[in-house]
Structure formats: structure tokens, C-alpha cells
Amino acid sequence: MTDTRITIRRPDDWHLHLRDGAMLEGVAVHSAAHFARAIIMPNLVPPVVSGADAAAYRERIMAALPDGATFEPLMTLYLTETTDADDLAAAAASGLVTAVKLYPAGATTNSDSGVRNIDNVIPVLERMAEIGLPLCVHGEVTDPDVDIFDREAVFIETVLDPLRRRVPGLRVVMEHVTTGDGVDYALSGNDDLAATITTHHLMINRNHILAGGIRPHYYCLPVAKRERHRQALRAAAVSGEQKFFLGTDSAPHSVETKENACGCAGIFTATNTMSCLAHVFEQESALDRLEAFTSLNGPAFYRLPANEERISLVRGDSPVDYPPSIETGAGPVVVFDPGVTLYWRVEDLGERA
Ligand code: DOR
Ligand code: ZN
């Protein structure tokens, strides 16, 4: 069989955790290999809360990239109940900051400084609506009485929808939607509402985590849901609909902190995301819509130009050979195992010469 090749605009990752220090040094190269830009999550310890923090973090990211890498980190600020609206507006006006991240306090990794009472951030959100600065939302309630598999649906009904009515014109990205409810709500909104979908939520459901043994490397937040939700996410991703685009939520944790009595949430997909996505889109007979999902819809929402560079994905006869884990100065990080054999690889730029 001859190789099948598709060429698309270079993709962007609209939701990425790069961490800091030794982990940043170890993982940055992997996102920069395929992606031109990424929205960088601010949930460091301590979090990235001010323009000055974002500028310093951006410098550390640039320093961690290999020579010659072309990768633009799009910085975000971590919204707290004491965020300074003027500082935020100045950081946006200078082009330093592309979005602001809302973590409900306690919802996920390093979210302790997040928002407890939405009332306290309304003035900041109104300012963001005024200047058109998008709010990236981790959409889960943290109420211990709400079942973890229902937290996204309950968040939409009790927090997100009321919030969008209260601050009309606020541009919102529902980050990593994991349910049919999330997809339906995104579709019900106007152009100010969009949603990212991760690679792993297109490939796993909750059985992967829990059936036949507990598999910590499939644990992330929001947790993967039942199969019908995965099907709804796949339909949304391959639809070509502008509201849906890739945010990998690639979230490295060392093996030690994942394989633990209280393992961290997060799946590392930076190295094999494009191979996985080509597999999914091929399965769905939608390879012609892969580019919309990875390279066109995100820039359209963020009002940025699509990348001019192209990458090619090639489907060969033999399985793609990629390491099951990567080494970092913060320990080894396990790469997402999609549970299927992958045949699509990103062609090296020199490969066709
Ligand atoms: O699984 C997750 N990991 N979900 C998040 O929201 C945060 C992330 C992380 O920072 O590890
Ligand atoms: Zn995330």
C-alpha cells in the first residue's frame, strides 16, 4: 500500500500545561515540535495572576525552547477574587495576554486560588467583555454533594448560563468539554461562545479508567464520561463547526505523582496528539475536517490569523514508533496510550527532501 498523506495548516493547541522549572525544560520541546502556538495555562504554584507574572513566565518558556524553535506561547492570567482589572486590561492591550482562566476554587490541580464566589469577579468580567478578552472556563462545580460525573452539566446550568446572562458580550471558551450537555450548550450560544475538546476525551471513556483495574494514566479532570458522551464529542470535533477546536489539555505529571494512592489528574498528549487525531478523524471519515479542528477554528475565535506554515500527516503501513514515556528533570512522564495502534505520523520537515 502506498502512503496516504494529508497536508494542513500547522496546528495550534488552545489549552496546554507547560509547568515550570525542570518539567517545563522537559516538555516544551514536544509541543513546539508540532504546534505553532498554544494557550498556556496559568495554574503554576504560585499561579500567574498579574501581567508581570505572565511576562516573566513567558520569558522562562522562551528560554526552555530549543534553538530555532518557532513556537509562540499565548499567555493567560489566572483569575482570582482580587484580580486587578486595570493590570489585566493593560496586559491585554500590550498583546502580552490572550485570555483569562477561571478555575472554580478546588476544581482541579493548583486551583486553590481560584474563584469561590462569582459575584466578586463580575466587575473584572465586565471589563473583559468591554475589551473583548476571552474567558477560558474550567466548567465543573466543586460541591462535594454533586457526583463527579455530573459536575460539568451542573456547572453549565447553575454557573455558566447565569454568568453569561449577567455579563452579555463576555467571550467564553468552555475548556475541555466532556459531555453531550457541554456540546449542546456550546451549540446553543452565539459567536461569543466556543469550546475546546481534548485528544484523550475523543478516545477514552470512563471504562478505560476503571474497568479491569484502576489506570491512573487515564485520570484527568474533567474525568472521562460514559461512551455516549465520547460519541457526542467526536461528532462535535469532526463536524467542522467553528465553535469547536483543539485544546489538548496536555498536563504532565511525573510517574511517581500519577501512580500514587492519591494520583494527580492530567494526561500528557503533547507528543502523539496529531497521530491520535488523524486516527480519530479517519475513523469518522472526516480527514477533510481535521484542519478546521486543529488549525482554523481556534484562530477564528481568538481573532488571530491562521498559521501560514503547513505540516503533513502520513499514514504508513507500519505502526508509528513513539516512546511510551519521556524523560524530564522532574522525572519520567508517561505518554497517553490511546489503546489502539497508530499509523499516522507527522512528517519531519526534512523527510520529503
Ligand atoms: O486533568 C487535568 N490536569 N485537568 C485540569 O484541569 C488541570 C490539569 C493539570 O494542571 O494537571
Ligand atoms: Zn487544563
Side-chain angles (χ1 to χ4, degrees), residues 7-350:
T7 299
I8 60 172
R9 283 178 192 261
R10 195 168 165 209
D12 301 304
D13 184 349
W14 299 98
H15 182 133
L16 175 65
H17 297 268
L18 283 181
R19 314 298 191 207
D20 215 343
M23 187 63 92
L24 167 63
E25 299 281 333
V27 300
V29 58
H30 296 290
S31 287
H34 297 162
F35 297 97
R37 297 171 289 199
I39 287 273
I40 309 298
M41 287 297 124
N43 61 333
L44 305 182
V45 188
V48 179
V49 294
S50 66
D53 294 343
Y57 185 31
R58 186 176 197 284
E59 289 294 305
R60 299 199 294 281
I61 295 169
M62 297 312 287
L65 293 172
D67 287 346
T70 52
F71 177 76
E72 195 187 349
L74 303 172
M75 307 309 292
T76 62
L77 294 185
Y78 186 121
L79 184 65
T80 73
E81 294 186 10
T82 55
T83 292
D84 176 348
D86 290 336
D87 175 68
L88 176 150
S94 73
L96 171 66
V97 155
T98 303
V100 173
K101 179 71 190 252
L102 166 65
Y103 286 108
T108 187
T109 310
N110 303 335
S111 60
D112 296 348
S113 321
V115 174
R116 288 190 160 71
N117 182 352
I118 278 280
D119 291 348
N120 295 335
V121 294
I122 294 294
V124 174
L125 299 180
E126 284 171 346
R127 185 73 168 274
M128 288 171 58
E130 227 174 271
I131 61 179
L133 187 63
L135 180 71
C136 298
V137 177
H138 183 109
E140 288 188 287
V141 290
T142 54
D143 182 347
D145 292 337
V146 177
D147 189 281
I148 191 162
F149 292 101
D150 297 333
R151 288 181 180 187
E152 181 170 297
V154 173
F155 181 89
I156 291 167
E157 196 187 319
T158 63
V159 182
L160 184 57
D161 189 58
L163 174 66
R164 290 186 57 246
R165 289 173 197 279
R166 200 163 159 191
V167 190
L170 181 64
R171 312 194 67 232
V172 171
V173 184
M174 300 170 67
E175 298 290 88
H176 42 51
V177 284
T178 59
T179 58
D181 311 73
V183 167
D184 290 346
Y185 187 73
L187 285 170
S188 75
N190 59 15
D191 289 351
D192 290 333
L193 187 63
T196 58
I197 301 177
T198 76
T199 309
H200 46 279
H201 287 111
L202 294 173
M203 301 193 87
I204 63 167
N205 63 31
R206 63 194 198 175
N207 282 5
H208 287 79
I209 316 168
L210 296 170
I214 186 155
R215 293 194 170 71
H217 296 292
Y218 288 136
Y219 175 60
C220 65
L221 287 170
V223 70
K225 308 296 190 300
R226 52 171 76 243
E227 177 61 8
R228 82 177 145 81
H229 293 296
R230 185 180 75 106
Q231 292 301 337
L233 298 174
R234 282 172 84 108
V238 306
S239 67
E241 161 63 52
Q242 272 221 350
K243 284 176 173 298
F244 299 109
F245 43 89
L246 174 65
T248 65
D249 199 11
S250 181
H253 292 277
S254 67
V255 174
E256 194 189 355
T257 56
K258 291 287 292 175
E259 297 176 9
N260 191 291
C262 184
C264 293
I267 299 181
F268 179 70
T269 55
T271 56
N272 63 357
T273 274
M274 293 309 295
S275 295
C276 288
L277 290 176
H279 180 95
V280 167
F281 277 67
E282 182 182 42
Q283 276 186 327
E284 300 289 335
S285 306
L287 278 170
D288 58 328
R289 275 161 271 162
L290 179 62
E291 184 180 45
F293 183 65
T294 61
S295 319
L296 299 175
N297 296 349
F301 180 83
Y302 277 97
R303 298 175 176 160
L304 293 167
N307 298 310
E308 284 304 330
E309 282 175 278
R310 272 33 181 200
I311 65 161
S312 292
L313 287 147
V314 181
R315 190 195 201 287
D317 288 336
S318 40
V320 181
D321 196 16
Y322 61 88
S325 66
I326 61 156
E327 292 303 324
T328 78
V333 174
V334 171
V335 171
F336 173 58
D337 173 4
V340 292
T341 307
L342 298 174
Y343 291 92
W344 288 91
R345 67 177 192 277
V346 178
E347 188 178 64
D348 284 343
L349 292 179

